Amino acid sequence: AFWLIVHKFALDAIDTFAYIITTAMLLWLASGLLLLGLMVALLRLVLRRFSGSVSYEELHSAKAAEALVAEEEFHRQPLWDGYVDSSELAAWLREAKPGLVVVDVRDFDFARYGCKISGARHAASKLLLQDMSPLRSALTGDEGRTVVFHCMFSQFRGPKCAQEYARLVRGSGEGSGGGAQQKVLVLRGGFVEFHRAFGEAHDKHLLFEALDDTEKKKDE
């Protein structure tokens, strides 16, 4: 009977020890996986911050938004003159096209990339749509013969601002040589597409300029 008790006690001790070891290993494995997940998330965040890449979720949201804005007036009956591709805008910037003005209407996302298209005027869409007159007054004479609007993806804010600007300028007959002669365009794909195409170009210093501290603070 004594040896039976000892044997049972030994088996119970072994089972308990095995349970403790198994639990400890599972906890160690779980903590390792959690740490790995955090490291991957941090790495993705760093890569996105410095490469300017767009996540699947953002791209999916952008595509969904495209369907929602398809029926907006600025797509159904645009008063602006159409799209300009990133390659064409880059060529204009490289040759210093006379009368070219780029208007960046991004709002909260303006400082995300830490840079903007070279020479671009920043006018947040939220404020610009409330009052276009300062921009209209600034784009007179030889400046503003070709005005290119863009936001992050040029799906809603960019086209909407271009629509309202064209409506105001052409309705009043103002602009460079008259509103009808001022070409109002939208950058296809927005800043994201332009940055993807030329963010690593050999002459990127001609196509982009860094945001100064004042511009960054405005976006915070």
Side-chain angles (χ1 to χ4, degrees):
F2 173 77
W3 290 111
L4 288 175
I5 294 173
V6 171
H7 180 69
K8 184 177 184 304
F9 178 81
L11 290 177
D12 290 341
I14 292 172
D15 288 341
T16 302
F17 181 76
Y19 174 79
I20 293 173
I21 293 298
T22 302
T23 303
M25 290 181 65
L26 289 175
L27 289 174
W28 177 80
L29 180 61
S31 61
L33 291 174
L34 178 61
L35 180 60
L36 179 62
L38 291 174
M39 291 177 64
V40 170
L42 180 61
L43 180 60
R44 289 182 61 189
L45 183 63
V46 171
L47 289 175
R48 284 180 55 196
R49 173 64 182 85
F50 289 99
S51 68
S53 61
V54 181
S55 68
Y56 170 80
E57 291 79 8
E58 289 174 313
L59 187 59
H60 180 74
S61 298
K63 289 181 178 178
E66 186 176 355
L68 292 176
V69 302
E71 293 302 315
E72 292 286 346
E73 182 203 22
F74 52 76
H75 283 301
R76 288 186 292 105
Q77 298 176 325
L79 301 177
W80 41 286
D81 300 301
Y83 287 98
V84 57
D85 292 326
S86 294
S87 57
E88 188 170 9
L89 178 59
W92 290 349
L93 292 170
R94 285 164 174 156
E95 69 186 33
K97 179 181 175 69
L100 172 65
V101 175
V102 178
V103 183
D104 185 336
V105 301
R106 289 176 292 170
D107 297 281
F108 62 91
D109 46 356
F110 175 62
R112 172 178 172 180
Y113 285 76
C115 64
K116 63 180 180 179
I117 294 175
S118 184
R121 292 173 173 269
H122 179 237
S125 64
K126 185 184 298 184
L127 300 176
L128 187 59
L129 290 171
Q130 293 176 4
D131 185 9
M132 286 274 180
S133 56
L135 180 63
R136 181 185 64 179
S137 299
L139 303 185
T140 57
D142 290 334
E143 186 174 11
R145 280 180 279 174
T146 303
V147 185
V148 179
F149 286 84
H150 78 83
C151 54
M152 189 62 89
F153 294 98
S154 286
Q155 291 184 340
F156 188 88
R157 292 171 294 176
K160 186 172 180 62
C161 288
Q163 180 84 343
E164 296 308 314
Y165 177 79
R167 190 196 312 278
L168 177 65
V169 173
R170 291 171 182 175
S172 65
E174 296 183 17
S176 178
Q181 296 181 24
Q182 191 177 53
K183 202 165 189 179
V184 181
L185 302 170
V186 174
L187 176 60
R188 190 185 302 277
F191 184 83
V192 165
E193 183 60 34
F194 191 83
H195 192 270
R196 276 179 177 168
F198 300 103
E200 298 300 325
H202 69 281
D203 59 348
K204 61 183 179 182
H205 62 284
L206 293 176
L207 305 177
F208 299 93
E209 61 181 270
L211 301 183
D212 60 32
D213 292 337
T214 302
E215 289 175 313
K216 289 179 181 178
K217 288 178 181 178
K218 285 180 182 178
D219 194 57
E220 292 176 352

